[in-house]
Amino acid sequence: MKKILFISLLFVVHFGWSQQEDATRGYKVKVGDMPPVLDFKLLDGTPITNKNLKGKVVVLQFTASWCSVCRKEMPHLEAEVWQRFKNEDFILTGIDLKESQEKVEKFISQMQVSYPFTIDIDGELFESFTLPNAGVTRNIVLDKSGKIIYLSRLYEEEEFNEMIATIDAAIKKS
């Protein structure tokens, strides 16, 4: 009887953890939160901070050259997000996870994207938003006040279109 109770308890603990992980989608932040500290430089040397992003709608796209889902999503980010909103109070920043500048520059060229990029060399920025061992291919949308208004995971057309509608509404909002 004790053995059955122990196995049942293990199942509940494991199943409960899986449900929690699914519910968070690997994020430790949630919609409505203010983001962690942002303090980095784009590849062109432009400094990015929470303060200088105020007044802009922001998409932080976490990516990596080895990520096939990222590669699938990037042309859509370029055409449907960056090209559509780049002349608004908007910035899309690709944040490459733990790769060399040479590899990232080659990746950007291969993907033919023109939006700004940075490199999260040690993964600290990524980990400030995500739970341990979370997967890449994530978009975090901030409104003009700096608050998180959308979180995506992987690339699914319906979710991607929902993100675009969220960005559009946030840009139009005074």
Side-chain angles (χ1 to χ4, degrees):
M1 181 64 173
K2 287 183 181 180
K3 189 175 184 179
I4 291 173
L5 183 59
F6 179 73
I7 291 171
S8 298
L9 181 60
L10 281 176
F11 178 78
V12 169
V13 168
H14 175 73
F15 183 72
W17 174 254
S18 296
Q19 290 291 80
Q20 180 183 2
E21 190 174 327
D22 288 345
T24 65
R25 299 180 79 196
Y27 282 105
K28 61 177 150 187
V29 297
K30 59 188 177 302
V31 170
D33 287 353
M34 293 304 285
V37 173
L38 301 173
D39 187 10
F40 57 87
K41 288 187 178 175
L42 299 175
L43 293 179
D44 71 3
T46 303
I48 300 292
T49 64
N50 299 72
K51 185 177 178 180
N52 69 14
L53 291 175
K54 293 276 170 118
K56 296 182 186 309
V57 174
V58 177
V59 175
L60 303 172
Q61 176 227 1
F62 287 97
T63 189
S65 67
W66 47 263
C67 171
S68 63
V69 177
C70 301
R71 287 177 173 273
K72 179 179 178 183
E73 179 185 59
M74 288 173 74
H76 297 281
L77 282 167
E78 174 70 23
E80 299 167 47
V81 178
W82 181 240
Q83 292 303 321
R84 178 174 174 185
F85 299 116
K86 71 180 181 180
N87 295 319
E88 307 286 338
D89 289 327
F90 175 78
I91 185 168
L92 164 60
T93 301
I95 304 171
D96 187 272
L97 188 59
K98 299 181 180 179
E99 296 184 298
S100 70
Q101 184 163 342
E102 181 181 335
K103 184 170 263 189
V104 173
E105 288 172 352
K106 183 178 178 184
F107 176 43
I108 292 166
S109 176
Q110 286 174 343
M111 296 310 303
Q112 300 179 356
V113 295
S114 62
Y115 52 88
F117 257 80
T118 191
I119 303 171
D120 186 11
I121 295 290
D122 59 6
E124 188 175 320
L125 181 58
F126 182 70
E127 292 166 5
S128 70
F129 286 96
T130 61
L131 295 170
N133 303 312
V136 76
T137 313
R138 294 177 183 274
N139 295 301
I140 299 165
V141 182
L142 310 177
D143 69 9
K144 292 178 183 178
S145 72
K147 183 176 63 177
I148 297 170
I149 58 170
Y150 200 83
L151 299 167
S152 74
R153 172 76 181 111
L154 299 172
Y155 174 74
E156 297 167 358
E157 190 174 343
E158 184 177 328
E159 181 178 59
F160 190 82
N161 290 333
E162 188 177 296
M163 180 182 74
I164 291 171
T166 301
I167 294 166
D168 189 44
I171 287 172
K172 290 177 179 171
K173 194 173 183 181
S174 300

